[in-house]
Amino acid sequence: MTRLVQSSPQTDAYLADCDRLVTARSATEPSWLRNLRRKGIEHFADAGFPTTRDEEWKFTSIAPIADRHFAPAHDGQSGLTTDRVESWAGALGGYRLVLVNGAYAPQFSVGGLPAGVHVSSLRSILATNPAAVEPYLGRFAPPDRQAFTALNTGFLQDGAFVWIPPGTIIDQPISLLFVSASPETASVSHPRVLIVAGDRSQVRIVEGYVGPPGQEYFTNAVTEVVVGSGAVVDHYKLQRESQRACHIGSMYVHGTRDSTFSSHSIAFGGALVRNDIIAVLDGEGGDYTLNGLYLVDGRRLIDNHTTIDHAKPHCGSHEMYKGILSGHARAVFNGKIIVRPDAQKTDAKQTNKALLLSDDAQINTKPQLEIFANDVKCTHGAAVGQLDEDAIFYLRARGLDLQQARDMLIHAFAGDVLNRIRIEPLRKSLEEHLLSELPAAGGPANQQ
Amino acid sequence: MTMLEIHNLHVRVGGKPILQGIDLCVNAGEVHAIMGPNGSGKSTLARALSGHPDYQVTEGEVSYEGRDLLAMDPEERARDGVFMAFQYPVEIPGVNNAYFLKAALNAIRTHRGQEELDAIEFMALMREKSTLLEIDPSMLTRSVNEGFSGGEKKRNEIFQMAVLEPKLAILDETDSGLDIDALKLVANGVNAMRSPERAIIVVTHYQRLLDYIVPDVVHVLSGGRIVKSGDRALALELEDKGYGWLEPEAAAAAPAAKA
Ligand SMILES: Nc1ncnc2c1ncn2[C@@H]1O[C@H](COP(=O)(O)OP(=O)(O)OP(=O)(O)O)[C@@H](O)[C@H]1O
Ligand SMILES: [Mg+2]
C-alpha cells in the first residue's frame, strides 16, 4: 500500500492516516482484506471528496467535513459512564453491542443471544474467523463507487458483525450502539456493520449513533445487510448524534428470493447528515419498506438519498419519508427507483412529505424513476407544507393550548412513520424524544 | 343573569369590514336563534366569539360572565365554557378522535380545578354520550372528522359539545346537511343540554331546526348588523317571506357602505 495519489490537501491527511493504519495492521490481516482496503483508499484518493458539482451531492456541501481534518478516533479515554450509555441505548431488551469511537466496548455490551446466533465486533471475527465475513464484506458495498464508502473501506478495522443462522427467529431486538466521544479533538470513526440473515430467519436490528451534545466529530458509517431467501429483517437506524457532528451513513441491502426487509431511518441529530440507502431486490417475491423520519432545526442539514433497485420480477417496495424542519434548516430527499428490464410486475410506491415550521426552512426533494420494464406499477408523491392553521384553531377552540395543538399535529404527521415501529419501547421513547425536541410554540418557528 | 353581552361589535376579515355594530344580549338559560342570508356575517360572529385569529375586532366590546371575552385566547374561552360547533369542521388526519377529545376534556377539567379523567372513566363517558347521539363507536377511533360524511361531522360536533359540557354553545349551521332523523338526534342532543345555567346560540338558515330546538329569541342578521329581533314567530315569518322584506330596514340601519 504505497500508492498515494497526492490529489489534494483535503484528502492527503486521510491517506497518511490510512497508510499508518496499514503499516500497523498488515502483518495480521488476511490479504483479501488488505486488497479491499487498498481498493477503497485508492478510489478515495482518485475521486476525492464529492462537491456540489456532483449530481448526487448537488444540494449538500460537505465542506464542513472536507475543509478540516478529523483525526482517527482513539478508543478508551472517553470518560463515559454506564448510566450515560444506558440512557442512550434505552431499555429495548435483547442483546446490545456497544462500540465507542469505532472500537468494541465490552464493558457496555450486555444481554444473551439464542444458540447459533453470532453478534460480535468486526475486529474480533476478523481475528478469529475471517472466512465467516470474507464472502460478504465489501461485496454489496463496493469499495470503488462512492467516496465515503471508499474511505470507510480504507479504514475498515472494527464495527459489528451479526449472523443469524437459517431458520432462526429472534424476537428480542439486537442493538448495535455506536458512541462517539472524544472531547479533546475532533475525530472521525468509520464503523462498519455487516448483517447476514440466513434463509427464513427473522430478526430486528437497531443501529444507534450517538454522541455527547456539543461535541464535534465525524461518523462515517457503512452497513451491509444480506437478506437470505424468505428471511425477514426489520432494521432501525436511530441517528442522534451531537448537533455539531457530521454523520455520513450508507447502507447497502441485498435480498434474494422472497426476502422482506424494512428500514426505519430516524434522524434527530447532526449538523451535516447524509444517509444513503441502496437496496437491491435481487430475487422474486421480495418486499422492501423504507421509512424515514427526520427532525432538523437551526442551520443543520439532513440529506436522505435512497435507491431501490428492482432487479427481479414480482417485488414490491414502499417508501415513506417525512421531515420536520424549523429555523434555517435544510433537507434534501432524493428517491431513486430503478426497475430493471427483467423486473416485470414491480409495484413501487414512494411518498415524501415535509413539514416546514418556519419560513426560512427549505427542502429540495426529487423522485427519480428509472423504469426499463413495461408491466409495472410505480407511484410517487411529494408534499411540502406548513401546519394547518384551521386545524390548530379547531384544537384551540376545544381547549388545547397552542403548544398542545401544534404538538398534536406534528405528532400526527410523524405518526405514519413512528406507528410502524414494531419495537414498542423504542416507539414510545422516540415519540417522547420527538415532542421534547420540537421547537416551542410562540418561538421563532411560530412567527407568521 | 346575563351571560353574554355584545356591544357595538365591528369585525374585519381579510381587511374587509363584515360585522358593523352588533348588539346582542344572551341570558343564562336562553336559546337564541340567529338567521340571515348567505354572507350576512353569521359565521363571522361565531368565529369572532370563539377567538379565531383571522377575525379582527376593530370596535366594540364583548363581555362573557362579566369578563372581557375579546382579551382571552381561543383556548381560554373554551376552558371557560365557550363552545362553537363549526359550520365546516376541519379534518385532522392522524389525530385520533377519542384521544383528541380526552385531551380537550382534561384541559377543561384541569382549568376548572377538577381531576383529569382516567382512561376508564373517559371511555364510560364516551359510551354514554355516543349512545345519546347514536354515534357509531368506530367514529371515535378514527381520525378527527377524516372521511366523515357531512352529517357525521355535524353529529361529531354535537357529540363533542355533549362531552365538554360548555356554558355557552354557539352552533353554526349544525342542521345543514342533516337528514330528518339526524336532525332530530342533534336536536335531542341540544335539548338535553338546555338548562338554567347554560345559553345556546343557534345559527341556522332554516326554520325547520327551530321546530325541534325552540328558541326564546330570534335575530335576523343582515349586512353585518342585527336588523330585527323577535320571538319564534319571526322565524316562521322569515320562512314565509324570505329576507327581502327586511332589506329596507337593513339599508336604513346600515351606515353608507364604503368601497
Ligand atoms: N377569511 C375570509 N377572508 C375574506 N372574506 C371572508 C372571510 N371569511 C368570510 N369572509 C366574507 O365575510 C362575509 C360574511 O361571511 P360569513 O361566513 O360570516 O357569512 P354567513 O352569514 O355565515 O354565510 P353562510 O350563510 O353562507 O354561512 C362574506 O362576504 C364572506 O365572503
Ligand atoms: Mg356561515
Side-chain angles (χ1 to χ4, degrees), chain B:
Chain B
M1 195 203 98
T2 304
M3 175 169 285
L4 181 74
E5 193 165 2
I6 305 177
H7 176 64
N8 191 32
L9 184 68
H10 287 65
V11 173
R12 279 172 181 263
V13 194
K16 189 169 127 194
I18 307 293
L19 299 186
Q20 326 226 29
I22 299 274
D23 292 295
L24 181 66
C25 185
V26 179
N27 295 318
E30 290 178 350
V31 173
H32 287 231
I34 296 182
M35 305 183 77
N38 290 123
S40 56
K42 304 182 298 294
S43 294
T44 301
L45 176 61
R47 290 196 196 126
L49 291 178
S50 50
H52 195 295
D54 291 351
Y55 292 71
Q56 190 199 349
V57 175
T58 52
E59 224 185 305
E61 298 92 45
V62 179
S63 101
Y64 167 67
E65 294 192 311
R67 299 177 53 197
D68 178 5
L69 186 73
L70 300 177
M72 295 157 74
D73 281 337
E75 58 268 34
E76 284 182 76
R77 302 181 196 201
R79 290 171 187 184
D80 269 329
V82 178
F83 179 93
M84 174 175 68
F86 285 69
Q87 183 174 4
Y88 303 108
V90 54
E91 301 195 3
I92 313 183
V95 174
N96 173 284
N97 217 3
Y99 170 75
F100 147 67
L101 200 47
K102 182 162 180 264
L105 178 64
N106 283 335
I108 291 170
R109 289 181 66 92
T110 305
H111 178 76
R112 289 181 190 154
Q114 295 168 315
E115 295 249 325
E116 293 196 358
L117 291 192
D118 65 25
I120 294 165
E121 294 164 327
F122 179 71
M123 282 325 289
L125 179 67
M126 297 284 268
R127 215 169 301 118
E128 178 200 327
K129 302 294 185 185
S130 61
T131 313
L132 179 72
L133 287 155
E134 296 184 15
I135 297 270
D136 185 336
S138 75
M139 261 168 72
L140 303 178
T141 55
R142 283 159 65 185
S143 292
V144 178
N145 294 322
E146 194 186 29
F148 287 19
S149 71
E152 282 173 337
K153 284 180 184 166
K154 297 301 178 77
R155 247 153 61 199
N156 193 32
E157 294 291 290
I158 299 305
F159 170 65
Q160 291 177 17
M161 176 180 80
V163 171
L164 301 179
E165 301 187 317
K167 285 187 265 185
L168 172 66
I170 305 160
L171 314 184
D172 192 359
E173 310 244 5
T174 303
D175 53 332
S176 55
L178 295 182
D179 62 28
I180 188 67
D181 293 330
L183 183 79
K184 283 181 187 164
L185 275 177
V186 162
N188 281 342
V190 174
N191 287 329
M193 305 228 11
R194 287 183 85 152
S195 85
E197 298 82 44
R198 194 171 274 137
I200 301 173
I201 298 174
V202 183
V203 173
T204 183
H205 270 292
Y206 307 105
Q207 139 68 21
R208 190 180 68 157
L209 177 69
L210 305 182
D211 286 340
Y212 299 98
I213 303 173
V214 180
D216 299 297
V217 190
V218 175
H219 308 276
V220 180
L221 191 63
S222 180
R225 294 166 152 249
I226 289 178
V227 294
K228 198 165 183 70
S229 300
D231 61 10
R232 260 198 92 182
L234 178 57
L236 292 165
E237 203 175 348
L238 290 168
E239 172 110 317
D240 252 16
K241 303 201 234 166
Y243 295 106
W245 61 285
L246 288 167
E247 298 284 302
E249 278 185 71
K258 282 182 216 146

Side-chain angles (χ1 to χ4, degrees), chain A residues 3-278:
Chain A
R3 178 177 170 256
L4 290 185
V5 178
Q6 304 293 309
S7 51
S8 82
Q10 293 174 337
T11 52
D12 282 354
Y14 286 96
L15 303 182
D17 290 337
C18 188
D19 218 22
R20 272 190 286 280
L21 174 71
V22 170
T23 314
R25 295 185 53 85
S26 60
T28 56
E29 65 186 23
S31 62
W32 63 265
L33 180 58
R34 206 171 327 138
N35 289 337
L36 184 66
R37 186 192 301 292
R38 181 184 303 129
K39 268 196 198 148
I41 203 66
E42 283 180 358
H43 177 78
F44 176 73
D46 286 346
F49 283 114
T51 69
T52 50
R53 286 187 302 278
D54 186 333
E55 188 61 28
E56 288 287 295
W57 297 84
K58 193 170 165 184
F59 300 110
T60 301
S61 163
I62 53 120
I65 294 171
D67 289 353
R68 67 185 295 177
H69 181 239
F70 291 91
H74 292 288
D75 26 347
Q77 272 92 56
S78 57
L80 288 176
T81 62
T82 308
D83 283 353
R84 192 69 188 268
V85 174
E86 291 290 335
S87 77
W88 274 325
L92 302 186
Y95 182 79
R96 180 174 80 212
L97 184 84
V98 178
L99 289 94
V100 177
N101 295 333
Y104 176 47
Q107 70 273 30
F108 301 130
S109 302
V110 293
L113 285 166
V117 174
H118 177 100
V119 180
S120 74
S121 74
L122 196 57
R123 175 175 273 191
S124 88
I125 194 77
L126 284 169
T128 56
N129 184 12
V133 295
E134 186 189 346
Y136 307 107
L137 210 56
R139 178 151 155 229
F140 301 114
D144 52 3
R145 220 162 292 161
Q146 199 251 41
F148 288 100
T149 299
L151 189 63
N152 173 287
T153 309
F155 282 89
L156 199 160
Q157 53 179 334
D158 207 349
F161 173 54
V162 177
W163 163 264
I164 316 295
T168 303
I169 294 172
I170 313 176
D171 31 71
Q172 293 287 321
I174 294 172
S175 301
L176 311 172
L177 183 66
F178 298 87
V179 181
S180 291
S182 47
E184 314 82 28
T185 48
S187 58
V188 57
S189 61
H190 305 271
R192 182 82 172 209
V193 178
L194 175 62
I195 298 163
V196 181
D199 296 349
R200 301 174 322 282
S201 67
Q202 295 189 15
V203 64
R204 290 174 183 169
I205 293 176
V206 183
E207 250 181 67
Y209 294 87
V210 295
Q215 277 192 24
E216 289 179 64
Y217 56 87
F218 169 30
T219 306
N220 179 33
V222 172
T223 297
E224 288 174 280
V225 186
V226 185
V227 191
S229 67
V232 181
V233 175
D234 207 12
H235 183 273
Y236 300 84
K237 173 174 174 178
L238 311 182
Q239 186 274 104
R240 288 180 296 173
E241 306 273 30
S242 137
Q243 308 254 318
R244 298 177 69 189
C246 298
H247 177 99
I248 308 277
S250 308
M251 177 161 73
Y252 298 81
V253 182
H254 185 268
T256 44
R257 199 182 173 89
D258 298 322
S259 56
T260 303
F261 174 77
S262 11
S263 156
H264 312 256
S265 174
I266 313 292
F268 288 164
L272 167 60
V273 176
R274 164 77 174 231
N275 292 309
D276 279 88
I277 299 180
I278 294 101

